[in-house]
Amino acid sequence: MTQDSTGPQSAYAMPEGAVPLELLRTPPPVERADAARNRAAVLEAAARLFAEHGAEAVSMDQVAAAAGVGKGTLFRRFGDKAGLGAALLDARERALQDAVLRGPAPLGPGEAGAGPTSGERLAAFVGAYLDYLLDHLDLVRMSETAGRGSRYRIGAYRFWHRHVALLLGAAGRSEDPEHDAHALLAVLAAEHVAALLPELGEERIRAGALRLAARTV
């Protein structure tokens, strides 16, 4: 087991000069009390409306009205509906990132001596990420497709990519872990999963992603 500034990291070591995973996370917002209350009201209203009607069917005007804030305030704080969706996902992403960094094995490094292999950790990540994705598919899809290349600019994607690349590098079977991490994450893209879900169903999508992960480690 190796250690760095993020705590125990079973199954891989950070390459020299690499940015620690912890620094790739998006920190929670620091706000005045009134701004934090408004933000919480907006996110609560958006979560309720998106759950009831689907993210695509809900307008920013509807969210503003339900939250009791002005439309201008909503746009200044979140930019657009994709930004609002990304803010809703932020807390869920941080929870998964915490589990990866410090949680029980095999998703996380576990206790000292737990020693999950890179293959075990990769399979656990794929399964946990799919759980998160399928629970919030519309929102993730909206945030990833807001513009050309949006998915790859999201801070969470850079975290997932670094984690997968480190696991692939530790396994020693990938000639180019950075590339192969992008390739594996491509099958977990929200647009891809949403397109295949009606035809293949969740079980086959999950099994296929796990088979692909197993072949790379």
Side-chain angles (χ1 to χ4, degrees):
M1 179 181 298
T2 61
Q3 294 196 10
D4 61 26
S5 62
T6 66
Q9 299 290 311
S10 301
Y12 61 63
M14 293 291 294
E16 185 178 353
V19 178
L21 275 173
E22 184 70 45
L23 299 184
L24 293 178
R25 304 177 70 198
T26 302
V30 178
E31 303 174 299
R32 301 188 316 271
D34 58 338
R37 284 194 297 271
N38 284 342
R39 179 184 179 87
V42 167
L43 294 180
E44 181 182 355
R48 184 178 69 253
L49 291 171
F50 289 172
E52 291 174 355
H53 308 291
E56 292 185 2
V58 176
S59 69
M60 293 287 272
D61 286 354
Q62 290 171 306
V63 173
V69 302
K71 185 171 68 172
T73 298
L74 187 62
F75 278 99
R76 282 193 299 273
R77 293 293 299 277
F78 299 99
D80 54 19
K81 195 162 63 171
L84 178 57
L88 274 172
L89 292 172
D90 185 58
R92 283 78 166 180
E93 290 169 344
R94 286 203 302 272
L96 181 52
Q97 290 167 355
D98 279 338
V100 165
L101 288 169
R102 290 176 281 272
L107 178 59
E111 300 294 332
T117 67
S118 55
E120 290 169 340
R121 290 202 69 185
L122 185 59
F125 169 74
V126 169
Y129 186 84
L130 276 170
D131 289 341
Y132 153 76
L133 176 63
L134 291 167
D135 282 345
H136 309 289
L137 187 57
D138 283 350
L139 287 180
V140 179
R141 185 182 183 188
M142 183 171 65
S143 70
E144 289 185 352
T145 59
R148 185 176 182 180
S150 291
R151 181 178 192 235
Y152 304 96
R153 293 192 296 270
I154 296 170
Y157 180 86
R158 290 185 285 119
F159 181 99
W160 312 136
H161 177 263
R162 173 62 58 78
H163 176 56
V164 172
L166 288 170
L167 291 174
L168 296 180
R173 289 180 55 183
S174 172
E175 295 181 6
D176 188 346
E178 295 286 322
H179 170 274
D180 292 347
H182 284 303
L184 178 56
L185 289 170
V187 305
L188 301 177
E191 185 77 358
H192 177 77
V193 171
L196 296 186
L197 197 57
E199 177 184 352
L200 300 183
E202 177 181 336
E203 185 175 342
R204 289 179 66 188
I205 289 173
R206 187 180 297 272
L210 288 170
R211 281 196 305 272
L212 183 58
R215 291 171 185 154
T216 59
V217 291

